Amino acid sequence: MSDEGECKSEQLEKSEEAEEKKEKVEGQEATSPIPNTISVPEVDDKPTENKNQSDNHADKTDETSSQDFAAYEEHMTYGADGGAIYTDPSTKQKYKWCATGNNWQPLSIDETVAGQAGDPYENEHYKWCPKTQQWLPKKQETETEHYKWDDEKKKWVPKQPNQEGVYGVDEHGERTYTDKDGVQFFWDATKSAWFPKIDDDFMARYQMNYGFIDNTSAGEKEKAEKEAAEAKRKEEELKRMTAEAEAAMSRDNPASSAAVPTGKRKAQEPPKWFEMDPSQNTKVYVSNLPLDITMDEFADLMGKCGMVMRDPQTQKFKLKLYAEKDGQIKGDGLCDYIKVESVNLALKILDEYNLRGHKIRVQRAQFQMRGEYNPALKPKRKKKDKEKLQKMKEKLFDWRPDKMRGERSKNEKTVIIKNLFTPELFVKEVELILEYQNNLREECSKCGMVRKVVIYDRHPEGVAQINMASPEEADLVIQMMQGRFFGQRQLSAESWDGKTKYKIDESAVEAHERLSKWDEFLAEEETDKKASEEKKEEDVDSPETQLLPGDATP
């Protein structure tokens, strides 16, 4: 009896737990508008009586869930991506089923508006079929401009070119091709290409599409007449505009109109002295300087307020220290800056500046004419010098560095070779300079690309300069040429320091000696030539060379 009582008590407890679970499920369905998933009955290893009770409970839950799904189905829709969307009938809030999280998530306002704007049963590639209750793909195009869909291969394949053309052979046995427009092409075997056949039909079709130029005499005559008429019209328009401008000027200034005849140009005035505008004056005058000041010290002093202009030819600072006839410095000087702003800075900083016990004075430079103005004495700047000066200014104000971090200097591309020759060698045989250049270029080209070879034939150390494409190639040249013997002379190779100048200009005395030697050489050559001609004439007139009758000719 006790065993049966225990079994009955366990069955009562099981039934009570099942009823509590059922009440909880019904409470959740009543409170939440979103349908829950169908619950799966738990597997219990109890006796068969408990199994029957759990099966009955599962059947009841299946019936309730199917009834609830039927109630929710009228509020279900599907989005553009095929996802299910549930709309709460009471709050009009929309929920979307999340497959990854396996739950319902509320839709945002933007997604709701986007869903309302378009058709929820159709998107770009698919359309909802209410009969089959499935998303079916839309009918797509099977052909584009360059591709075509192949049903057998199930992929897009490119169209075959010239598919509408016709191939053939002409009467001469050459291959021909006619396209869809009727243009005929012939095959060129040497160039392996199709070329259009130039005939009357082709020229007519070409001129009909692109027009043509009439090169006949009548067309040229018509063109010349049009150009003459256009030139005449422009000339009349220019005269009319000139007359209107002169009339306007005469109304504004009656005195000038009376002095200058109408229709004639005013004579150009000769150049004259003019005062420079202070806003463009870049020069300052410095006074009360120490009498023993040097040009370097003066340059350092004026460089505190800005960059000093350099001469394009000599690359020296445009500074001047005025001196007496005997060379003694007067104590005043002139400085030319690049920017006008440097002048204003010098007036504020350097004026009344104490330099070694001298309170210097700085002011804008003002120039006065002494005597009569002679424009011929003013140095004329060439266009090349102006461009060079402008490039120098741009380089000075360029913010970019000369070389990047870790990059080697440009002067390291240049190799200096010494003890290569003696200057007397080229005095005797000038053509050896070209031979030395070719030999150096050929030898150094083993290390890289040689850009330039220069022989300084007047340098006493026998210097040659070789410019390579990169510093690494220059290092290889130095390694190859250092300590090498050339013509019983041991060479030395090193990188150029970027400052040393090896070119030696010819002095006036040396130039005079060279020209005099050249004149002597020409005179000797002329005398030798005359002597050889006189000798030939003497040989011809001598009786030994004359032939007598009956003598055999050589």
Side-chain angles (χ1 to χ4, degrees):
M1 292 294 291
S2 61
D3 296 334
E4 293 178 359
E6 290 178 357
C7 291
K8 289 181 180 180
S9 62
E10 289 178 359
Q11 291 178 1
L12 290 172
E13 291 176 357
K14 292 286 185 179
S15 61
E16 290 176 358
E17 291 177 359
E19 288 178 358
E20 289 177 359
K21 290 181 179 179
K22 184 177 180 181
E23 290 175 358
K24 289 181 179 179
V25 170
E26 291 176 354
Q28 291 177 358
E29 291 175 353
T31 55
S32 174
I34 307 173
N36 294 325
T37 57
I38 300 173
S39 60
V40 180
E42 298 181 355
V43 178
D44 194 2
D45 295 331
K46 296 295 182 179
T48 57
E49 294 176 359
N50 298 334
K51 185 175 181 181
N52 293 331
Q53 291 178 1
S54 61
D55 292 336
N56 294 331
H57 178 63
D59 294 337
K60 291 180 180 179
T61 55
D62 291 337
E63 291 176 2
T64 56
S65 60
S66 61
Q67 292 175 1
D68 295 334
F69 183 79
Y72 289 125
E73 187 177 9
E74 61 181 4
H75 304 294
M76 296 285 290
T77 56
Y78 293 90
D81 55 351
I85 298 175
Y86 173 78
T87 305
D88 186 7
S90 60
T91 61
K92 302 301 181 180
Q93 172 65 34
K94 292 191 176 184
Y95 298 86
K96 187 176 181 180
W97 177 256
C98 179
T100 56
N102 201 21
N103 57 2
W104 293 90
Q105 294 181 357
L107 282 177
S108 62
I109 299 175
D110 297 336
E111 293 177 346
T112 305
V113 173
Q116 293 175 357
D119 189 358
Y121 297 99
E122 185 176 357
N123 57 18
E124 184 180 0
H125 302 289
Y126 292 91
K127 186 176 182 181
W128 176 257
C129 181
K131 294 182 180 180
T132 59
Q133 294 294 317
Q134 291 180 353
W135 287 93
L136 300 178
K138 290 183 177 180
K139 187 178 179 181
Q140 298 181 355
E141 296 181 358
T142 60
E143 188 174 353
T144 62
E145 184 180 359
H146 302 288
Y147 289 89
K148 184 178 181 181
W149 176 258
D150 192 342
D151 293 333
E152 297 179 357
K153 298 180 180 179
K154 298 298 181 182
K155 65 178 183 179
W156 291 92
V157 295
K159 290 183 179 180
Q160 294 296 331
N162 304 328
Q163 55 185 359
E164 299 181 3
V166 178
Y167 292 92
V169 180
D170 61 359
E171 62 273 8
H172 302 289
E174 296 181 355
R175 294 168 56 191
T176 60
Y177 168 74
T178 306
D179 62 2
K180 60 181 180 180
D181 297 330
V183 180
Q184 190 174 8
F185 296 82
F186 70 94
W187 176 257
D188 192 341
T190 58
K191 298 181 180 179
S192 299
W194 292 97
F195 290 95
K197 189 175 182 180
I198 309 299
D199 53 4
D200 295 340
D201 294 339
F202 176 81
M203 293 302 299
R205 192 180 294 106
Y206 181 86
Q207 292 176 358
M208 182 174 62
N209 293 331
Y210 302 101
F212 64 96
I213 300 174
D214 188 6
N215 295 325
T216 60
S217 58
E220 292 289 337
K221 186 177 180 181
E222 184 179 356
K223 183 179 178 181
E225 291 177 355
K226 288 183 179 179
E227 291 179 353
E230 183 68 18
K232 187 176 180 181
R233 186 188 65 79
K234 289 183 178 180
E235 186 177 357
E236 292 177 355
E237 184 71 15
L238 182 61
K239 289 181 179 179
R240 184 184 63 78
M241 293 173 64
T242 305
E244 291 178 358
E246 290 176 353
M249 291 174 64
S250 62
R251 286 196 301 269
D252 296 339
N253 192 3
S256 62
S257 62
V260 181
T262 305
K264 289 188 179 180
R265 245 178 161 182
K266 188 177 180 180
Q268 187 177 1
E269 295 182 359
K272 60 181 180 180
W273 180 267
F274 66 94
E275 296 293 338
M276 184 177 291
D277 189 3
S279 61
Q280 298 179 357
N281 189 8
T282 58
K283 299 179 178 64
V284 293
Y285 176 74
V286 187
S287 58
N288 200 22
L289 292 168
L291 299 180
D292 57 346
I293 190 172
T294 61
M295 189 63 74
D296 294 337
E297 186 180 0
F298 186 49
D300 294 338
L301 174 66
M302 305 310 295
K304 295 179 181 180
C305 298
M307 285 186 288
V308 182
M309 180 76 74
R310 287 180 179 269
D311 188 84
Q313 301 295 334
T314 61
Q315 294 297 318
K316 293 182 179 180
F317 289 116
K318 298 189 76 172
L319 300 170
K320 184 177 182 180
L321 290 173
Y322 294 99
E324 300 287 351
K325 293 182 179 181
D326 56 356
Q328 179 61 38
I329 294 177
K330 294 182 178 181
D332 53 352
L334 185 68
C335 174
D336 188 2
Y337 285 108
I338 294 180
K339 291 286 187 178
V340 182
E341 292 79 5
S342 302
V343 176
N344 300 329
L345 198 61
L347 295 175
K348 294 179 181 178
I349 297 177
L350 296 181
D351 192 23
E352 297 186 357
Y353 177 76
N354 192 350
L355 179 63
R356 290 192 287 148
H358 293 260
K359 188 178 288 187
I360 64 175
R361 295 302 306 273
V362 180
Q363 56 185 349
R364 294 183 187 272
Q366 296 180 358
F367 300 94
Q368 296 178 357
M369 184 176 62
R370 295 180 180 178
E372 295 181 359
Y373 177 70
N374 187 3
L377 299 178
K378 184 180 179 181
K380 295 183 179 180
R381 285 186 181 179
K382 297 181 180 179
K383 184 179 180 180
K384 188 177 180 181
D385 295 338
K386 292 181 180 179
E387 293 176 354
K388 189 176 181 180
L389 182 62
Q390 185 65 25
K391 288 181 179 179
M392 184 183 68
K393 289 182 179 181
E394 292 176 357
K395 187 177 180 181
L396 288 173
F397 291 105
D398 192 1
W399 61 270
R400 292 172 294 184
D402 294 336
K403 63 176 183 177
M404 304 301 292
R405 184 177 297 175
E407 184 182 3
R408 299 178 65 178
S409 302
K410 293 182 180 180
N411 58 282
E412 295 185 23
K413 300 179 183 179
T414 305
V415 180
I416 301 298
I417 298 178
K418 297 182 180 179
N419 200 25
L420 183 64
F421 55 85
T422 57
E424 293 79 12
L425 179 65
F426 298 128
V427 174
K428 298 177 182 178
E429 301 180 17
V430 183
E431 64 275 5
L432 288 178
I433 296 178
L434 185 60
E435 183 178 348
Y436 272 58
Q437 285 181 342
N438 295 334
N439 292 338
L440 286 175
R441 183 180 294 275
E442 182 180 358
E443 193 68 21
C444 295
S445 60
K446 300 176 182 178
C447 302
M449 186 172 64
V450 181
R451 294 188 179 276
K452 188 178 180 182
V453 178
V454 181
I455 302 292
Y456 296 104
D457 56 322
R458 298 182 182 277
H459 203 281
E461 297 183 13
V463 178
Q465 175 183 316
I466 303 168
N467 294 353
M468 303 299 293
S470 64
E472 289 75 16
E473 295 177 356
D475 294 341
L476 295 177
V477 173
I478 293 173
Q479 186 178 357
M480 180 180 66
M481 304 299 289
Q482 177 63 28
R484 187 172 177 177
F485 283 89
F486 180 79
Q488 299 181 355
R489 300 175 69 88
Q490 189 174 9
L491 306 180
S492 64
E494 59 184 8
S495 296
W496 182 44
D497 57 2
K499 298 180 181 179
T500 308
K501 304 295 182 183
Y502 295 99
K503 185 178 180 181
I504 298 177
D505 295 328
E506 186 180 23
S507 61
V509 178
E510 292 175 348
H512 180 70
E513 291 179 358
R514 178 174 57 81
L515 293 175
S516 61
K517 288 181 181 180
W518 177 250
D519 293 339
E520 291 176 2
F521 173 75
L522 293 177
E524 291 177 0
E525 188 178 11
E526 188 68 24
T527 53
D528 293 342
K529 187 177 180 181
K530 288 181 179 180
S532 62
E533 291 178 356
E534 290 176 357
K535 189 176 180 180
K536 287 181 180 179
E537 291 177 358
E538 290 177 358
D539 293 341
V540 171
D541 296 338
S542 63
E544 297 178 355
T545 58
Q546 294 180 359
L547 294 176
L548 296 174
D551 292 343
T553 58

